[in-house]
């Protein structure tokens, strides 16, 4: 059985990648080194921390004629439903600890110090803000509540009511802004400058780089976990990762590059056809924004402007860029929920499956398969970056809600 219907996609090989180039100190100051060690030490101490599952999709691997597929399932991360829990909340902690240190002269303020409430007088007077299409805002709101500051989140026109409610559940004020995600980013930055708030954005631009670096550093914890979970700690031959502003893909790229140098897995960045700013940037050899509605069911990937820090990493580190349509993403969600193969049943949201969809489409297309060097020996890692974070949309696409799918999964074990 062919696991996915044919659907058009675009694939672009990045000629700017020189695999002999070392990761280097300059890049390490952006992502990795001591910054990664700090993030890992901090986040793994947080209450509720647990390593998320890495599923082996053996039947699917056989179905597309490759060696193995490993799916890192972020649906349960800190109870927030996505890998974004690692990034925004960590950046809120870093920001508040810096502010407390600056104002009190105390050094090394830990997350536990903030949670204990001993600095609430300072932190409660601080407001953090950001734009989001759902998951990042939820993480920032959660971090703000956990570490004790005020939070205002901007969402754009088409963010669903369910996603808004999920953010508001962490006591954040949610404001809806006309336009798309990038308009909401500008709005949050504008109001923050006016009000003296702090922007905790997952995207970076000239003059605003430090906080998004912290966000990305948090994501790298997921990458490190997944590499430890692969049986025998085999290094994957390929990694397919989805891109919105590119922070996730760059965190993956940086971690693999720093760790494995020229032997690192081949990295394929996958985006929705309607919001392919990283693909277009690679194509033009320079950071490029795409315009328009950016509409896609993959809400987390609906971004028109790459993050500057992310782009600098991917420009020289990502091997391939591809775009996919919405249909294969929806098909992948149903496939993972179906339990029709011997593989585990997985609740995966719209943005979670883009990497997997990219793998299935290219592995089943002779030309793309050869171009990417996918063979029966390939070991592929994909990141299932969210669960059913938009429950209504999930039900509409899959035909059952996440709880029903999980029940069926439990019954089948
Ligand atoms: C579930 C999910 N996956 C992937 C991404 C892409 O991450 P980035 O915008 O850092 O590229 C997002 C972004 O919001 C997301 O929510």
């Amino acid at each position: 059985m062919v696991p996915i219907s044919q659907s058009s996609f675009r694939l672009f090989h990045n000629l700017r990648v020189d695999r002999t180039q070392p990761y280097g100190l300059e890049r390490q100051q952006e992502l990795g080194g001591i910054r990664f060690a700090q993030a890992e030490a901090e986040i793994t101490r947080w209450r509720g921390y647990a390593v998320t599952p890495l599923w082996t999709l053996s039947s699917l691997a056989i179905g597309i004629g490759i060696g193995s597929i490993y799916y890192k399932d972020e649906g349960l991360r800190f109870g927030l439903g996505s890998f974004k829990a690692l990034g925004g909340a960590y950046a809120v902690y870093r920001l508040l600890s810096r502010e407390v240190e600056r104002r009190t002269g105390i050094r090394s303020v830990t997350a536990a110090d903030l949670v204990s409430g001993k600095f609430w007088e300072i932190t409660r007077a601080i407001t953090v803000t950001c734009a989001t299409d759902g998951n990042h805002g939820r993480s920032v709101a959660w971090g703000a509540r956990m570490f004790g500051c005020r939070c205002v989140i901007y969402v754009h026109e088409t963010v669903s009511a369910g996603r808004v409610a999920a953010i508001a559940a962490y006591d954040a004020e949610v404001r809806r802004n006309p336009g798309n995600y990038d308009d909401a980013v500008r709005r949050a930055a504008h109001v923050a400058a006016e009000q003296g708030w702090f922007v905790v954005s997952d995207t970076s631009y000239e003059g605003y780089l430090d906080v998004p670096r912290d966000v990305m550093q948090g994501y790298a914890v997921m990458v490190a976990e997944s590499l430890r979970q692969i049986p025998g700690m085999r290094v994957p031959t390929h990694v397919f990762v989805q891109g919105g502003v590119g922070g996730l893909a760059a965190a993956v790229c940086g971690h693999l590059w720093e760790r494995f140098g020229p032997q690192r897995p081949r990295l394929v960045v996958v985006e929705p056809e309607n919001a392919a700013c990283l693909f277009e940037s690679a194509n033009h050899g320079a950071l490029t924004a795409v315009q328009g509605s950016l509409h896609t069911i993959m809400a987390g990937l609906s971004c028109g402007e790459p993050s500057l820090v992310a782009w600098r990493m991917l420009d020289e580190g990502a091997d391939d860029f591809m775009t996919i349509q919405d249909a294969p993403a929806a098909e992948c969600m149903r496939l993972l929920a179906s339990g029709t193969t011997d593989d585990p049943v997985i609740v995966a949201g719209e943005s979670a499956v883009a990497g997997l969809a990219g793998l299935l489409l290219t592995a089943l297309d002779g030309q793309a398969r050869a171009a990417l060097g996918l063979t029966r020996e390939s070991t592929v890692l994909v990141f299932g970056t969210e669960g059913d974070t938009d429950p209504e949309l999930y039900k509409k696409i899959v035909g059952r809600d996440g709880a029903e799918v999980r029940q069926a999964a439990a019954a089948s074990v």
Side-chain angles (χ1 to χ4, degrees):
M1 182 193 95
V2 177
I4 195 163
S5 324
Q6 258 184 0
S7 162
S8 64
F9 62 86
R10 289 189 293 158
L11 183 63
F12 176 81
H13 177 58
N14 184 10
L15 290 171
R16 292 170 58 80
V17 171
D18 170 7
R19 281 183 158 259
T20 60
Q21 205 182 57
Y23 191 61
L25 256 182
E26 211 174 296
R27 269 190 204 91
Q28 218 170 46
Q29 273 154 11
E30 297 260 285
L31 272 179
I34 182 76
R35 290 166 151 276
F36 169 67
Q38 282 169 343
E40 192 176 46
E42 185 55 61
I43 292 171
T44 54
R45 278 201 300 259
W46 291 359
R47 194 153 154 227
Y49 170 78
V51 173
T52 53
L54 182 85
W55 302 112
T56 305
L57 306 182
S58 309
S59 302
L60 199 51
I62 293 169
I64 62 166
I66 67 165
S68 15
I69 304 174
Y70 296 106
Y71 180 98
K72 178 69 169 162
D73 184 356
E74 288 294 299
L76 297 173
R77 182 70 75 181
F78 281 119
L80 266 73
S82 88
F83 80 105
K84 289 256 156 184
L86 295 166
Y90 178 64
V92 171
Y93 151 68
R94 292 268 298 167
L95 187 145
L96 293 179
S97 71
R98 271 196 302 269
E99 275 308 297
V100 171
E101 285 167 16
R102 193 175 65 76
R103 295 181 198 189
T104 60
I106 296 171
R107 293 181 59 118
S108 305
V109 172
T110 63
D113 291 332
L114 296 177
V115 171
S116 76
K118 65 180 170 197
F119 298 115
W120 277 356
E121 221 170 283
I122 298 173
T123 57
R124 282 193 171 147
I126 293 174
T127 301
V128 293
T129 188
C130 71
T132 187
D133 25 43
N135 294 330
H136 174 66
R138 200 166 169 183
S139 179
V140 170
W142 175 60
R145 192 171 78 171
M146 177 159 56
F147 302 123
C149 70
R150 191 173 162 251
C151 180
V152 178
I153 303 288
Y154 286 86
V155 297
H156 57 85
E157 271 169 19
T158 60
V159 173
S160 71
R163 287 190 189 276
V164 168
I167 298 167
Y170 294 101
D171 306 332
E173 183 189 332
V174 185
R175 296 183 183 172
R176 207 177 269 282
N177 193 58
N180 63 23
Y181 170 76
D182 303 301
D183 297 315
V185 170
R186 280 185 281 273
R187 181 75 191 147
H190 177 79
V191 178
E194 241 177 32
Q195 304 284 332
W197 297 349
F198 291 87
V199 177
V200 179
S201 173
D202 57 354
T203 196
S204 59
Y205 34 87
E206 210 54 79
Y208 180 75
L209 305 168
D210 288 343
V211 172
R213 274 193 200 110
D214 287 338
V215 172
M216 290 159 67
Q217 207 57 92
Y219 300 161
V221 171
M222 167 188 73
V223 188
E225 274 179 15
S226 62
L227 294 172
R228 281 194 289 267
Q229 288 170 293
I230 296 179
M233 286 186 57
R234 256 183 316 150
V235 181
T237 56
H238 297 74
V239 174
F240 283 70
V241 63
Q242 46 276 39
V245 298
L248 164 67
V252 173
C253 180
H255 194 82
L256 297 174
W257 191 348
E258 184 181 24
R259 189 134 163 208
F260 302 116
Q263 314 305 339
R264 66 188 184 273
R266 186 166 185 153
L267 183 73
V268 186
V269 179
V270 185
E271 291 173 283
E273 180 60 43
N274 285 350
C277 58
L278 301 168
F279 183 98
E280 292 307 335
S281 298
N283 224 323
H284 290 100
L287 191 145
T288 305
V290 299
Q291 313 291 337
S293 84
L294 313 174
H295 183 72
T296 163
I297 58 165
M298 295 170 260
L301 314 184
S302 171
C303 311
E305 294 177 27
S307 161
L308 181 57
V309 175
W311 171 245
R312 288 203 294 235
M313 180 71 70
L314 297 172
D315 180 28
E316 295 189 318
D319 298 281
D320 307 276
F321 293 83
M322 78 178 285
T323 68
I324 62 167
Q325 307 281 344
D326 279 357
E331 249 190 285
C332 271
M333 290 168 68
R334 288 190 286 268
L335 182 72
L336 292 177
S338 68
T340 49
T341 64
D342 292 339
D343 293 334
V345 172
I346 299 170
V347 175
E350 307 77 53
S351 299
V353 291
L356 180 64
L359 166 64
L360 301 187
L361 289 169
T362 49
L364 293 168
D365 176 286
Q367 222 178 337
R369 184 180 173 92
L372 294 180
L374 288 166
T375 69
R376 292 195 178 278
E377 270 71 57
S378 300
T379 298
V380 184
L381 172 63
V382 297
F383 293 96
T385 46
E386 66 177 351
D388 54 336
T389 55
D390 190 336
E392 254 175 61
L393 188 56
Y394 182 87
K395 186 167 185 185
K396 206 163 137 195
I397 294 172
V398 171
R400 285 172 300 157
D401 63 30
E404 281 174 81
V405 173
R406 273 184 283 269
Q407 245 170 27
S412 70
V413 175

